[in-house]
Amino acid sequence: MRDFDQPGRSPVIAENGMAATSHPLATATALAVLKEGGNAVDAAIAASATLCVVEPHMTGIGGDCFVILAEPDGTVHGLNGSGRAPAASDPAWYRDNGFASMPQTGVHAVTAPGAVDAWSRLIARFGTMGFDRLFADAIRYAEEGFAVHARVARDWALHVPALRGDRGAAIHCLLDGEAPAAGTRFRFPALGATLRAIAKDGARAFYEGEIAAEMAATVRGQGGFLSEEDLAAVAADWVAPLSVSYGGYDVLEIPPSGQGVTALILLRLMEAHGIGKLPTGSAERYHMEIEAARLAYSVRDHLVSDPATMTRTPEELLSDSFILALGAQLSSERRNPSVVLPEMARSDTVYLTVVDRDRRAVSFINSVYSAFGSKVVTPRSGIALQNRGGCFTLEEGHPNELGGGKRPMHTIIPAMAMKNGRAAVSFGVMGGDYQPMGHAHVFSNLVDHGMDPQEALDHPRLFWGDDGVLDAEGGIPAQIRSDLVARGHQVRDAGAPHGGGQMIVIDDENGFLVAGSDPRKDGCALGW
């Protein structure tokens, strides 16, 4: 039990259903759907739609989505709802036109949005309500307005110059050329009309017809390659999640093109080297987690891509022999300088999880990648187009090299842990590249260190920046930082939180759901 003399939150405990999202309005949307008789799938999609309005820099219908769904009987389904590069994309064009690496903003970073198709497929297979009901709150907030929350306002203000540089963004995402302040009302009437069209006529109203034509014309009008044919071809894929054993649980991640295999490699290294048994807040624990993560991320950046172009299978990357060879590079005493560090990208994402009264669990993540995605917004329909193409490389012959119709290596990943054949923990974190590290850290907090879901999420984090220096959150004491320096690390103040996160534990023994929510954002968990 936490120290009630200190600031913090207790976990939320309920019986009939639980939702945890990064924003109170979205959690309220999910809970209302559950109370009306909707299931966890219905509630998750409704919450995500609300987030597309009230956290517009973090997510949107112009982005992608990944889902892990565990049915009450323990059957598990994965959904890869990520879009592909335009068919006309050619890495040689980028190299010939002076691009040393993939652009992170503008039309040349745009990939087709996969989220709406993923939502549609989820509803068709597992939902009980239609878009007309599930979009009701999102449409109301878009048309009538919503109060901008504190964390949203803080983030929004950072991107005003870029938003001013795009016609559609300036129209739809600014008030008199500025970001809205916390506590002010903001509206997205054009986005509300687009949501109404999808609610009325389904996902094809987004991928075909006037809305799709405008998306393609907006990109092509600025020299990009997205076509109406690219949008009409969008199709989410049902996939079998990958799994490894950790601490008596089977931990599930979506296979590539996502980076979930990175989290599983890290967990395997932690299990093999007893990292979870190290003292909770010790320098040794942080050191070993970081060193194992640097190895796992190096594997990711060399080998993980669209599965069609990977040179090693996920099963090979998780094999005993591969983990043994990786682990040989770990030292409990010193940082290994020979590990090749990947380039880091910071992204804006929403993660949410819902469990219903039948114990159907949904682990759900939706994103436009960077804040407001590509910073390109369609002028009439108000859609912020994602910049997921920025995850490709232009390195010739690399598995993740840009290619027409190809999916990029993807950072957003949901997670699930099973026990005795049923869902036991539905969880995820935010923060782009941080996510595999975050999955391993918060799950170890829960399983190895006996924390409740809220404590597991609250616990201080560190992660490296572009230059390899460790960015330590404020809760990591000076002595721990000094001990890490003595082990060969460079450490500085993070200056910003690493991600956020949500977690729901299904306590079958007592019949309750126990949840924690996003302490680094405006997160909220509610049950009934």
Side-chain angles (χ1 to χ4, degrees), residues 98-160:
F99 291 97
S101 60
M102 283 297 297
Q104 299 299 307
T105 59
V107 295
H108 294 299
V110 172
T111 52
V116 172
D117 183 75
W119 299 358
S120 180
R121 291 173 191 271
L122 275 170
I123 288 175
R125 188 170 177 184
F126 297 106
T128 67
M129 297 177 172
F131 280 156
D132 54 346
R133 168 61 190 92
L134 301 182
F135 286 5
D137 282 1
I139 291 169
R140 177 165 56 86
Y141 291 131
E143 295 180 344
E144 298 177 13
F146 61 95
V148 177
H149 277 56
R151 174 62 194 274
V152 175
R154 176 259 192 195
D155 293 347
W156 204 322
L158 298 175
H159 304 285
V160 169

Side-chain angles (χ1 to χ4, degrees), residues 21 36 57 86 118 136 174 231 257-258 260 290 304 315 323 326 349 353 448 500:
T21 86
E36 288 178 27
H57 62 303
L174 297 174
L231 294 165
S257 56
I290 283 291
V304 177
E315 290 73 21
I323 296 301
L326 273 184
T349 301
T353 178
D448 296 319

